[in-house]
Amino acid sequence: MKRKAKITIYCAMICMLCGCSNSLNNPVQNIDTAMGTVISQTLYLEENAEQESEEMPREVLRIIDQLEREVLSRRISESEIGRANASAGSGTNVPVSDTLQSVLTTCQMISADSEGAFDITLGEVVRLWDIDSWAGEDFSHYKIPTQEEIRNCLQNVGYHKLLFTNDCLQVPGGMQLDLGAVGKGIALDEIREYLEQQTQLSGAIISVGGSILTYGEKESGSTWNVAIVNPLDTSERLGYLSLKGTWCISTSGNYERYVEIDGTRYHHIIDPYTGYPVDNEITSVTILSENGLLSDALSTACYVLGVDAGMTLAESYGAEALFVDEEGYLYMTDGMEEVFRR
Ligand code: ADP
Ligand code: MG
């Protein structure tokens, strides 16, 4: 089946732009696509920053696109991950950029701290399920992978099997890397670095798919209101996070990309122990962190781990977590409770 970028617009992405109701400097708004998802930007600029109002949204999109093309995409053979995957089993040491090196170091740490619940070496299993290609399409012809296919793929999965020294990577035979769980969060970190250099900007709220960056403030003392989708009815929101200043918010949910066969939902977050989509009564996890990579990685890791182990993991990284289960019950860390509003 031919791959095409899947574009999903969530109401939350639109809602979250609403923010609070105080009057504002003219915000600049931009909605576009990159990294196979919707990018929404609202930038609060000083008056007379006309040039910046055109340049900044373009530059943000360029940053995301470049990150995808040069570093992260497993579908682009020239990206660093594309080249590393192509070298699997050859014994070649593939040099990695500083960006990828620091991403891999953090990913490996989260894998170890989550006892393997988070694992970027799941590439072959992710490809076998191929949920991204089928989600939102007519999935009546979708073929569920067999136990044997899954078992074969799982043999080569394991973050501890990845040979990674300071500036080189060696991918064992049969292993494929997949940074789908962290790409959007990494993009937020790069965007934040860019925004920090912009003297004409007072604040911004930018969403890259399910990951959102709040930056600075619209005007003195204002708050950002970031909507949380109700995973049981995605046309509704559960509530919102009321935040001051710069934050990253990532959500992993079973409603984002899935196929449904005979009443069973197969979604895109895989349990590395079984090779099947996670089935643990969780429907979504939202993580709040100052760091985008952490918010994105932890949202996936915590989804796999479930409430108890997930909360412990999030708190060990100084992050806040909100879990929603199948019954619609919410579970929050203390810091999340302080900012969550109904
Ligand atoms: P989204 O990409 O929709 O924001 P996530 O951040 O939770 O959602 O990432 C899901 C993606 O991460 C999957 O599409 C797959 O590429 C990858 N993935 C799935 N399961 C895992 C896992 N246990 N550990 C690491 N990456 C995973
Ligand atoms: Mg994630």
Side-chain angles (χ1 to χ4, degrees):
M1 180 175 158
K2 207 169 165 219
R3 285 193 174 278
K4 50 183 176 176
K6 288 288 160 13
I7 310 300
T8 317
I9 301 180
Y10 297 121
C11 300
M13 299 310 126
I14 308 301
C15 295
M16 67 104 200
L17 295 172
C18 300
C20 70
S21 54
N22 301 343
S23 68
L24 311 162
N25 300 336
N26 272 343
V28 174
Q29 301 216 340
N30 181 290
I31 298 190
D32 211 317
T33 58
M35 227 176 221
T37 191
V38 177
I39 317 295
S40 295
Q41 308 183 45
T42 304
L43 306 172
Y44 296 88
L45 292 155
E46 306 293 332
E47 279 175 35
N48 303 325
E50 272 150 34
Q51 198 181 339
E52 286 82 355
S53 73
E54 292 195 1
E55 272 172 19
M56 273 189 217
R58 252 202 324 262
E59 184 60 13
V60 166
L61 288 166
R62 196 196 60 75
I63 289 168
I64 301 169
D65 198 50
Q66 183 174 355
L67 179 67
E68 170 81 341
R69 256 183 312 107
E70 295 183 1
V71 185
L72 299 178
S73 178
R74 68 185 168 91
R75 301 197 180 96
I76 298 174
S77 53
E78 299 81 37
S79 75
E80 287 190 69
I81 289 297
R83 275 186 276 132
N85 281 344
S87 77
S90 68
T92 316
N93 280 316
V94 182
V96 292
S97 62
D98 290 350
T99 303
L100 187 57
Q101 189 182 319
S102 108
V103 166
L104 292 175
T105 304
T106 304
C107 287
Q108 292 291 76
M109 200 165 67
I110 293 179
S111 294
D113 292 342
S114 66
E115 294 182 1
F118 176 84
D119 196 325
I120 58 162
T121 70
L122 274 169
E124 278 298 87
V125 184
V126 172
R127 192 152 68 179
L128 177 66
W129 283 93
D130 199 22
I131 300 293
D132 283 6
S133 296
W134 286 86
E137 302 284 319
D138 169 15
F139 37 71
S140 52
H141 299 296
Y142 179 79
K143 219 179 123 284
I144 300 166
T146 63
Q147 282 266 5
E148 199 188 348
E149 286 173 318
I150 292 170
R151 210 177 310 122
N152 285 342
C153 285
L154 269 184
Q155 278 176 4
N156 300 312
V157 170
Y159 69 94
H160 50 275
K161 296 181 197 162
L162 183 66
L163 299 174
F164 169 52
T165 55
N166 281 343
D167 49 6
C168 275
L169 189 61
Q170 214 185 93
V171 185
M175 180 187 283
Q176 294 284 281
L177 305 179
D178 179 320
L179 293 185
V182 287
K184 295 164 191 145
I186 300 165
L188 296 188
D189 290 332
E190 298 217 339
I191 294 166
R192 187 190 49 233
E193 273 176 35
Y194 166 71
L195 298 183
E196 279 163 1
Q197 294 157 18
Q198 305 309 310
T199 53
Q200 298 292 310
L201 184 76
S202 66
I205 183 158
I206 296 180
S207 77
V208 179
S211 288
I212 296 163
L213 169 70
T214 66
Y215 175 80
E217 49 185 15
K218 291 176 241 187
E219 56 190 1
S220 185
S222 64
T223 51
W224 303 110
N225 295 337
V226 177
I228 307 292
V229 178
N230 180 355
L232 306 179
D233 178 356
T234 55
S235 67
E236 286 182 355
R237 60 183 204 176
L238 278 180
Y240 61 94
L241 307 186
S242 176
L243 302 168
K244 273 189 187 300
T246 303
W247 291 99
C248 295
I249 304 100
S250 291
T251 298
S252 291
N254 71 357
Y255 58 90
E256 295 188 17
R257 279 174 271 152
Y258 63 89
V259 301
E260 224 154 36
I261 310 285
D262 297 333
T264 303
R265 183 175 289 197
Y266 300 94
H267 61 85
H268 70 315
I269 303 168
I270 305 291
D271 182 339
Y273 297 106
T274 64
Y276 280 82
V278 179
D279 180 14
N280 62 0
E281 296 173 1
I282 298 296
T283 51
S284 84
V285 180
T286 299
I287 299 286
L288 172 66
S289 166
E290 286 170 12
N291 181 282
L293 169 56
L294 282 184
S295 71
D296 205 0
L298 289 172
S299 71
T300 309
C302 290
Y303 192 107
V304 181
L305 287 174
V307 177
D308 292 342
M311 287 228 194
T312 307
L313 178 72
E315 284 182 321
S316 76
Y317 279 88
E320 306 301 337
L322 162 65
F323 293 73
V324 186
D325 74 10
E326 281 172 351
E327 307 279 314
Y329 288 110
L330 308 188
Y331 308 84
M332 286 180 247
T333 55
D334 293 343
M336 186 64 92
E337 262 182 51
E338 282 172 26
V339 297
F340 183 77
R341 311 266 186 279
R342 291 244 183 211

